[in-house]
Amino acid sequence: MTGRDRPSTPVLLAGWLFADLLLGLTVTMLGAQAPPPVPEPGRGTASPTPSPSPCATRIAGVKARPLKLAFRVDPGASDGELLAVVRRELRGHRERLTGRRAGMVLTFGAAGGAGDGVHLAKRVNAAARRAYPRVFGAAATRNFHDLAAPRGSISMEIYFVSVGCSPTPGS
């Protein structure tokens, strides 16, 4: 193969240039589209009026330090009995749960074999969700088996959602 058989560098780059221009045009067109108007009650459609906010941006995440709880349940208890025990145990921590939302809950259960501990942890998370839906309703849960704990032990790590405000430069 000689040097004449290969296309020159400008010809090779022309395809990439065309693809980049097409991508740039697509991004520009998508960014230029206006959002649909928001209807006002009783008036049909109208454009929304912006209101000043003391926050430049909203900051939300999961706090790094969990609330750690430990209690005992009967692994053979019915769902109703388990719900009553979980409700009673969580009620003892009401002051630390009120007004907060759990973002992530890690629950460790001990009930014989590894599968039994995971199943018990899953049942406890379901009971917590029913007992306190405002706190645990939207939480992501993860169920584990605790190999070192005695049968019926439950250990929960509750990571709460944190919501804050990054102030505007003028405030």
Side-chain angles (χ1 to χ4, degrees), residues 72-128:
R72 302 285 301 260
V73 297
D74 178 12
S78 70
D79 288 343
E81 293 169 337
L82 187 67
L83 175 62
V85 171
V86 170
R87 182 176 281 136
R88 184 182 69 238
E89 292 294 333
L90 293 177
R91 190 177 297 132
H93 301 278
R94 182 178 28 221
E95 70 280 352
R96 298 189 322 195
L97 295 173
T98 302
R100 299 173 89 184
R101 289 185 307 125
M104 181 173 60
V105 180
L106 306 179
T107 305
F108 301 84
D116 296 332
V118 170
H119 181 68
L120 180 60
K122 183 178 179 179
R123 290 181 63 211
V124 167
N125 281 329

Short mmCIF file of all heavy atoms in Angstrom, two decimals, residues 72-128:
data_model
loop_
_atom_site.label_atom_id
_atom_site.label_comp_id
_atom_site.label_asym_id
_atom_site.label_seq_id
_atom_site.Cartn_x
_atom_site.Cartn_y
_atom_site.Cartn_z
N ARG A 72 -35.26 -6.62 70.41
CA ARG A 72 -35.51 -8.05 70.19
C ARG A 72 -36.94 -8.26 69.76
O ARG A 72 -37.85 -7.57 70.20
CB ARG A 72 -35.26 -8.85 71.49
CG ARG A 72 -33.89 -8.75 72.11
CD ARG A 72 -32.84 -9.53 71.36
NE ARG A 72 -33.13 -10.94 71.27
CZ ARG A 72 -32.58 -11.87 72.04
NH1 ARG A 72 -31.73 -11.55 72.97
NH2 ARG A 72 -32.89 -13.14 71.87
N VAL A 73 -37.14 -9.23 68.87
CA VAL A 73 -38.47 -9.64 68.44
C VAL A 73 -38.50 -11.16 68.41
O VAL A 73 -37.46 -11.82 68.41
CB VAL A 73 -38.82 -9.09 67.03
CG1 VAL A 73 -38.87 -7.57 67.04
CG2 VAL A 73 -37.88 -9.59 65.98
N ASP A 74 -39.71 -11.71 68.36
CA ASP A 74 -39.87 -13.15 68.21
C ASP A 74 -39.93 -13.45 66.72
O ASP A 74 -40.85 -13.01 66.04
CB ASP A 74 -41.16 -13.60 68.91
CG ASP A 74 -41.42 -15.09 68.75
OD1 ASP A 74 -40.51 -15.82 68.29
OD2 ASP A 74 -42.54 -15.53 69.08
N PRO A 75 -38.94 -14.19 66.17
CA PRO A 75 -38.95 -14.48 64.73
C PRO A 75 -40.20 -15.23 64.26
O PRO A 75 -40.60 -15.11 63.11
CB PRO A 75 -37.70 -15.33 64.52
CG PRO A 75 -36.83 -15.04 65.68
CD PRO A 75 -37.75 -14.72 66.82
N GLY A 76 -40.85 -15.96 65.16
CA GLY A 76 -42.04 -16.72 64.79
C GLY A 76 -43.34 -15.96 65.00
O GLY A 76 -44.42 -16.52 64.80
N ALA A 77 -43.25 -14.68 65.38
CA ALA A 77 -44.46 -13.89 65.65
C ALA A 77 -45.23 -13.63 64.36
O ALA A 77 -44.66 -13.57 63.27
CB ALA A 77 -44.07 -12.56 66.30
N SER A 78 -46.53 -13.48 64.50
CA SER A 78 -47.37 -13.13 63.34
C SER A 78 -47.06 -11.70 62.91
O SER A 78 -46.41 -10.95 63.65
CB SER A 78 -48.85 -13.26 63.70
OG SER A 78 -49.22 -12.24 64.61
N ASP A 79 -47.54 -11.32 61.75
CA ASP A 79 -47.31 -9.96 61.27
C ASP A 79 -47.90 -8.91 62.21
O ASP A 79 -47.30 -7.87 62.45
CB ASP A 79 -47.87 -9.78 59.86
CG ASP A 79 -47.06 -10.51 58.80
OD1 ASP A 79 -45.90 -10.88 59.09
OD2 ASP A 79 -47.58 -10.72 57.69
N GLY A 80 -49.07 -9.19 62.76
CA GLY A 80 -49.70 -8.26 63.69
C GLY A 80 -48.91 -8.11 64.98
O GLY A 80 -48.75 -7.00 65.50
N GLU A 81 -48.42 -9.23 65.51
CA GLU A 81 -47.61 -9.18 66.73
C GLU A 81 -46.29 -8.45 66.47
O GLU A 81 -45.84 -7.65 67.30
CB GLU A 81 -47.34 -10.59 67.24
CG GLU A 81 -48.57 -11.32 67.72
CD GLU A 81 -48.31 -12.81 67.97
OE1 GLU A 81 -47.36 -13.36 67.39
OE2 GLU A 81 -49.08 -13.39 68.74
N LEU A 82 -45.68 -8.72 65.32
CA LEU A 82 -44.42 -8.06 64.97
C LEU A 82 -44.63 -6.56 64.81
O LEU A 82 -43.82 -5.76 65.28
CB LEU A 82 -43.85 -8.66 63.69
CG LEU A 82 -42.46 -8.19 63.30
CD1 LEU A 82 -41.43 -8.67 64.31
CD2 LEU A 82 -42.10 -8.70 61.92
N LEU A 83 -45.74 -6.17 64.19
CA LEU A 83 -46.07 -4.76 64.03
C LEU A 83 -46.19 -4.08 65.39
O LEU A 83 -45.67 -2.98 65.59
CB LEU A 83 -47.36 -4.60 63.23
CG LEU A 83 -47.89 -3.17 63.07
CD1 LEU A 83 -46.91 -2.30 62.31
CD2 LEU A 83 -49.25 -3.19 62.37
N ALA A 84 -46.84 -4.72 66.34
CA ALA A 84 -47.01 -4.14 67.68
C ALA A 84 -45.66 -3.95 68.37
O ALA A 84 -45.42 -2.92 69.00
CB ALA A 84 -47.93 -5.02 68.52
N VAL A 85 -44.76 -4.93 68.25
CA VAL A 85 -43.45 -4.82 68.89
C VAL A 85 -42.63 -3.71 68.24
O VAL A 85 -42.01 -2.90 68.93
CB VAL A 85 -42.69 -6.17 68.81
CG1 VAL A 85 -41.26 -6.03 69.26
CG2 VAL A 85 -43.40 -7.22 69.64
N VAL A 86 -42.61 -3.67 66.91
CA VAL A 86 -41.84 -2.64 66.20
C VAL A 86 -42.40 -1.25 66.52
O VAL A 86 -41.63 -0.31 66.78
CB VAL A 86 -41.83 -2.91 64.68
CG1 VAL A 86 -41.25 -1.74 63.91
CG2 VAL A 86 -41.06 -4.19 64.38
N ARG A 87 -43.71 -1.11 66.55
CA ARG A 87 -44.33 0.18 66.88
C ARG A 87 -43.92 0.61 68.29
O ARG A 87 -43.56 1.78 68.51
CB ARG A 87 -45.85 0.06 66.79
CG ARG A 87 -46.56 1.38 67.07
CD ARG A 87 -48.06 1.28 66.88
NE ARG A 87 -48.34 1.37 65.44
CZ ARG A 87 -49.18 0.60 64.79
NH1 ARG A 87 -49.86 -0.33 65.42
NH2 ARG A 87 -49.37 0.77 63.50
N ARG A 88 -43.95 -0.31 69.24
CA ARG A 88 -43.58 0.00 70.63
C ARG A 88 -42.10 0.41 70.72
O ARG A 88 -41.75 1.37 71.39
CB ARG A 88 -43.87 -1.19 71.54
CG ARG A 88 -43.59 -0.89 73.01
CD ARG A 88 -43.82 -2.08 73.91
NE ARG A 88 -42.81 -3.10 73.65
CZ ARG A 88 -43.06 -4.35 73.28
NH1 ARG A 88 -44.30 -4.77 73.14
NH2 ARG A 88 -42.09 -5.20 73.06
N GLU A 89 -41.24 -0.33 70.04
CA GLU A 89 -39.80 -0.03 70.10
C GLU A 89 -39.49 1.32 69.45
O GLU A 89 -38.69 2.08 69.97
CB GLU A 89 -39.00 -1.14 69.42
CG GLU A 89 -39.01 -2.46 70.15
CD GLU A 89 -38.31 -2.40 71.50
OE1 GLU A 89 -37.39 -1.56 71.69
OE2 GLU A 89 -38.66 -3.21 72.38
N LEU A 90 -40.12 1.60 68.32
CA LEU A 90 -39.87 2.87 67.64
C LEU A 90 -40.49 4.04 68.40
O LEU A 90 -39.96 5.16 68.36
CB LEU A 90 -40.38 2.83 66.21
CG LEU A 90 -39.64 1.89 65.26
CD1 LEU A 90 -40.30 1.88 63.90
CD2 LEU A 90 -38.18 2.25 65.16
N ARG A 91 -41.59 3.80 69.10
CA ARG A 91 -42.22 4.85 69.90
C ARG A 91 -41.26 5.34 70.98
O ARG A 91 -41.29 6.52 71.35
CB ARG A 91 -43.51 4.34 70.54
CG ARG A 91 -44.33 5.45 71.19
CD ARG A 91 -45.64 4.95 71.77
NE ARG A 91 -46.49 4.43 70.70
CZ ARG A 91 -47.13 3.25 70.76
NH1 ARG A 91 -47.02 2.48 71.81
NH2 ARG A 91 -47.87 2.87 69.76
N GLY A 92 -40.40 4.48 71.48
CA GLY A 92 -39.41 4.89 72.47
C GLY A 92 -38.39 5.88 71.92
O GLY A 92 -37.68 6.53 72.69
N HIS A 93 -38.30 6.00 70.62
CA HIS A 93 -37.37 6.94 69.98
C HIS A 93 -38.13 8.02 69.21
O HIS A 93 -37.60 8.61 68.28
CB HIS A 93 -36.45 6.18 69.02
CG HIS A 93 -35.66 5.12 69.70
ND1 HIS A 93 -34.50 5.38 70.39
CD2 HIS A 93 -35.88 3.79 69.83
CE1 HIS A 93 -34.03 4.26 70.90
NE2 HIS A 93 -34.86 3.28 70.57
N ARG A 94 -39.37 8.27 69.62
CA ARG A 94 -40.26 9.19 68.93
C ARG A 94 -39.65 10.58 68.78
O ARG A 94 -39.76 11.20 67.73
CB ARG A 94 -41.59 9.28 69.66
CG ARG A 94 -42.60 10.16 69.01
CD ARG A 94 -43.93 10.21 69.71
NE ARG A 94 -43.81 9.97 71.13
CZ ARG A 94 -44.67 9.23 71.85
NH1 ARG A 94 -45.71 8.69 71.27
NH2 ARG A 94 -44.49 9.04 73.13
N GLU A 95 -38.97 11.09 69.82
CA GLU A 95 -38.41 12.44 69.73
C GLU A 95 -37.33 12.54 68.66
O GLU A 95 -37.11 13.60 68.10
CB GLU A 95 -37.87 12.89 71.10
CG GLU A 95 -36.62 12.16 71.56
CD GLU A 95 -36.89 10.78 72.18
OE1 GLU A 95 -38.05 10.42 72.40
OE2 GLU A 95 -35.90 10.06 72.43
N ARG A 96 -36.66 11.44 68.35
CA ARG A 96 -35.62 11.47 67.31
C ARG A 96 -36.19 11.13 65.93
O ARG A 96 -35.49 11.28 64.94
CB ARG A 96 -34.50 10.51 67.68
CG ARG A 96 -33.85 10.95 68.98
CD ARG A 96 -32.61 10.24 69.37
NE ARG A 96 -32.55 8.82 69.11
CZ ARG A 96 -31.66 8.03 69.65
NH1 ARG A 96 -30.77 8.51 70.49
NH2 ARG A 96 -31.63 6.75 69.35
N LEU A 97 -37.44 10.66 65.86
CA LEU A 97 -38.07 10.31 64.59
C LEU A 97 -39.06 11.36 64.09
O LEU A 97 -39.25 11.50 62.89
CB LEU A 97 -38.81 8.97 64.73
CG LEU A 97 -37.96 7.73 65.00
CD1 LEU A 97 -38.85 6.53 65.27
CD2 LEU A 97 -37.04 7.45 63.83
N THR A 98 -39.67 12.10 65.01
CA THR A 98 -40.72 13.05 64.65
C THR A 98 -40.19 14.14 63.72
O THR A 98 -39.16 14.74 63.98
CB THR A 98 -41.31 13.69 65.92
OG1 THR A 98 -41.82 12.66 66.75
CG2 THR A 98 -42.44 14.65 65.58
N GLY A 99 -40.93 14.36 62.64
CA GLY A 99 -40.58 15.41 61.69
C GLY A 99 -39.44 15.08 60.76
O GLY A 99 -38.98 15.93 60.01
N ARG A 100 -38.97 13.85 60.78
CA ARG A 100 -37.85 13.46 59.93
C ARG A 100 -38.30 12.38 58.96
O ARG A 100 -39.29 11.69 59.20
CB ARG A 100 -36.71 12.94 60.79
CG ARG A 100 -36.19 14.01 61.73
CD ARG A 100 -35.19 13.47 62.70
NE ARG A 100 -33.85 13.55 62.13
CZ ARG A 100 -32.78 13.08 62.73
NH1 ARG A 100 -32.88 12.50 63.90
NH2 ARG A 100 -31.60 13.19 62.16
N ARG A 101 -37.56 12.23 57.86
CA ARG A 101 -37.83 11.18 56.88
C ARG A 101 -36.58 10.34 56.71
O ARG A 101 -35.48 10.89 56.55
CB ARG A 101 -38.25 11.77 55.54
CG ARG A 101 -39.60 12.40 55.55
CD ARG A 101 -40.05 12.88 54.19
NE ARG A 101 -39.06 13.76 53.57
CZ ARG A 101 -38.53 13.55 52.36
NH1 ARG A 101 -38.90 12.54 51.64
NH2 ARG A 101 -37.65 14.39 51.87
N ALA A 102 -36.76 9.04 56.73
CA ALA A 102 -35.63 8.14 56.51
C ALA A 102 -35.36 8.05 55.02
O ALA A 102 -36.27 7.87 54.22
CB ALA A 102 -35.94 6.77 57.09
N GLY A 103 -34.11 8.18 54.65
CA GLY A 103 -33.72 8.04 53.25
C GLY A 103 -33.27 6.62 52.96
O GLY A 103 -33.55 6.06 51.91
N MET A 104 -32.58 6.02 53.94
CA MET A 104 -32.07 4.66 53.78
C MET A 104 -32.07 3.99 55.15
O MET A 104 -31.70 4.59 56.15
CB MET A 104 -30.64 4.70 53.22
CG MET A 104 -30.04 3.35 52.99
SD MET A 104 -28.45 3.41 52.14
CE MET A 104 -27.47 4.37 53.26
N VAL A 105 -32.51 2.72 55.17
CA VAL A 105 -32.55 1.96 56.42
C VAL A 105 -31.85 0.63 56.18
O VAL A 105 -32.24 -0.13 55.30
CB VAL A 105 -34.00 1.72 56.89
CG1 VAL A 105 -34.02 0.93 58.19
CG2 VAL A 105 -34.74 3.03 57.05
N LEU A 106 -30.82 0.37 56.98
CA LEU A 106 -30.13 -0.91 56.95
C LEU A 106 -30.60 -1.68 58.17
O LEU A 106 -30.47 -1.21 59.29
CB LEU A 106 -28.62 -0.72 57.00
CG LEU A 106 -28.00 0.20 55.95
CD1 LEU A 106 -26.50 0.29 56.15
CD2 LEU A 106 -28.33 -0.29 54.57
N THR A 107 -31.17 -2.86 57.95
CA THR A 107 -31.71 -3.65 59.05
C THR A 107 -31.02 -5.01 59.07
O THR A 107 -30.96 -5.70 58.06
CB THR A 107 -33.23 -3.82 58.91
OG1 THR A 107 -33.82 -2.52 58.80
CG2 THR A 107 -33.82 -4.54 60.10
N PHE A 108 -30.53 -5.38 60.25
CA PHE A 108 -29.84 -6.65 60.45
C PHE A 108 -30.70 -7.51 61.37
O PHE A 108 -31.06 -7.10 62.46
CB PHE A 108 -28.47 -6.41 61.09
CG PHE A 108 -27.58 -5.52 60.27
CD1 PHE A 108 -27.68 -4.13 60.36
CD2 PHE A 108 -26.66 -6.06 59.40
CE1 PHE A 108 -26.86 -3.31 59.60
CE2 PHE A 108 -25.84 -5.25 58.63
CZ PHE A 108 -25.95 -3.87 58.73
N GLY A 109 -31.04 -8.71 60.91
CA GLY A 109 -31.86 -9.62 61.70
C GLY A 109 -31.12 -10.92 61.97
O GLY A 109 -30.31 -11.35 61.17
N ALA A 110 -31.44 -11.52 63.09
CA ALA A 110 -30.84 -12.81 63.45
C ALA A 110 -31.98 -13.78 63.76
O ALA A 110 -32.77 -13.55 64.66
CB ALA A 110 -29.92 -12.66 64.66
N ALA A 111 -32.05 -14.86 62.96
CA ALA A 111 -33.12 -15.84 63.17
C ALA A 111 -32.70 -17.18 62.58
O ALA A 111 -33.25 -17.62 61.59
CB ALA A 111 -34.42 -15.35 62.54
N GLY A 112 -31.72 -17.80 63.17
CA GLY A 112 -31.28 -19.09 62.65
C GLY A 112 -30.35 -18.92 61.48
O GLY A 112 -29.30 -18.32 61.59
N GLY A 113 -30.75 -19.42 60.30
CA GLY A 113 -29.92 -19.35 59.11
C GLY A 113 -29.89 -17.97 58.50
O GLY A 113 -30.67 -17.09 58.84
N ALA A 114 -28.97 -17.79 57.54
CA ALA A 114 -28.80 -16.48 56.90
C ALA A 114 -30.08 -16.03 56.20
O ALA A 114 -30.47 -14.88 56.29
CB ALA A 114 -27.64 -16.54 55.91
N GLY A 115 -30.74 -16.92 55.49
CA GLY A 115 -31.98 -16.56 54.81
C GLY A 115 -33.07 -16.17 55.79
O GLY A 115 -33.87 -15.27 55.51
N ASP A 116 -33.10 -16.82 56.95
CA ASP A 116 -34.11 -16.49 57.97
C ASP A 116 -33.87 -15.10 58.56
O ASP A 116 -34.82 -14.36 58.82
CB ASP A 116 -34.10 -17.54 59.08
CG ASP A 116 -34.51 -18.91 58.58
OD1 ASP A 116 -35.27 -18.97 57.59
OD2 ASP A 116 -34.04 -19.91 59.16
N GLY A 117 -32.61 -14.74 58.77
CA GLY A 117 -32.28 -13.41 59.30
C GLY A 117 -32.65 -12.31 58.32
O GLY A 117 -33.18 -11.27 58.71
N VAL A 118 -32.39 -12.54 57.05
CA VAL A 118 -32.75 -11.55 56.02
C VAL A 118 -34.27 -11.41 55.94
O VAL A 118 -34.80 -10.30 55.83
CB VAL A 118 -32.14 -11.96 54.66
CG1 VAL A 118 -32.68 -11.09 53.54
CG2 VAL A 118 -30.62 -11.88 54.71
N HIS A 119 -34.99 -12.55 56.02
CA HIS A 119 -36.45 -12.50 55.98
C HIS A 119 -37.01 -11.75 57.19
O HIS A 119 -37.96 -10.96 57.06
CB HIS A 119 -37.02 -13.92 55.92
CG HIS A 119 -38.50 -13.98 55.84
ND1 HIS A 119 -39.21 -13.54 54.73
CD2 HIS A 119 -39.43 -14.38 56.75
CE1 HIS A 119 -40.50 -13.68 54.98
NE2 HIS A 119 -40.66 -14.19 56.19
N LEU A 120 -36.43 -11.97 58.37
CA LEU A 120 -36.88 -11.26 59.57
C LEU A 120 -36.62 -9.76 59.42
O LEU A 120 -37.49 -8.94 59.76
CB LEU A 120 -36.18 -11.81 60.82
CG LEU A 120 -36.55 -11.14 62.15
CD1 LEU A 120 -38.04 -11.29 62.43
CD2 LEU A 120 -35.72 -11.71 63.28
N ALA A 121 -35.47 -9.39 58.90
CA ALA A 121 -35.16 -7.97 58.69
C ALA A 121 -36.15 -7.34 57.71
O ALA A 121 -36.61 -6.21 57.91
CB ALA A 121 -33.74 -7.81 58.18
N LYS A 122 -36.53 -8.10 56.69
CA LYS A 122 -37.50 -7.60 55.70
C LYS A 122 -38.86 -7.38 56.35
O LYS A 122 -39.53 -6.38 56.10
CB LYS A 122 -37.61 -8.61 54.56
CG LYS A 122 -38.53 -8.19 53.46
CD LYS A 122 -38.54 -9.23 52.36
CE LYS A 122 -39.48 -8.85 51.24
NZ LYS A 122 -39.49 -9.84 50.16
N ARG A 123 -39.28 -8.31 57.22
CA ARG A 123 -40.55 -8.17 57.92
C ARG A 123 -40.54 -6.97 58.86
O ARG A 123 -41.53 -6.24 58.98
CB ARG A 123 -40.86 -9.44 58.71
CG ARG A 123 -41.20 -10.63 57.83
CD ARG A 123 -41.52 -11.87 58.65
NE ARG A 123 -42.70 -11.63 59.48
CZ ARG A 123 -42.92 -12.19 60.66
NH1 ARG A 123 -42.03 -13.04 61.16
NH2 ARG A 123 -44.01 -11.93 61.33
N VAL A 124 -39.40 -6.73 59.53
CA VAL A 124 -39.29 -5.59 60.45
C VAL A 124 -39.36 -4.28 59.67
O VAL A 124 -40.03 -3.33 60.09
CB VAL A 124 -37.99 -5.69 61.29
CG1 VAL A 124 -37.70 -4.39 62.01
CG2 VAL A 124 -38.09 -6.84 62.28
N ASN A 125 -38.71 -4.21 58.52
CA ASN A 125 -38.79 -3.00 57.69
C ASN A 125 -40.21 -2.74 57.22
O ASN A 125 -40.67 -1.60 57.21
CB ASN A 125 -37.84 -3.09 56.50
CG ASN A 125 -36.42 -2.79 56.89
OD1 ASN A 125 -36.16 -2.00 57.78
ND2 ASN A 125 -35.48 -3.41 56.21
N ALA A 126 -40.93 -3.79 56.83
CA ALA A 126 -42.32 -3.64 56.41
C ALA A 126 -43.18 -3.15 57.58
O ALA A 126 -44.06 -2.30 57.41
CB ALA A 126 -42.85 -4.95 55.86
N ALA A 127 -42.93 -3.68 58.78
CA ALA A 127 -43.68 -3.26 59.97
C ALA A 127 -43.37 -1.80 60.31
O ALA A 127 -44.27 -1.03 60.68
CB ALA A 127 -43.36 -4.17 61.14
N ALA A 128 -42.11 -1.40 60.19
CA ALA A 128 -41.74 0.00 60.46
C ALA A 128 -42.42 0.93 59.47
O ALA A 128 -42.90 2.01 59.84
CB ALA A 128 -40.22 0.16 60.39
#
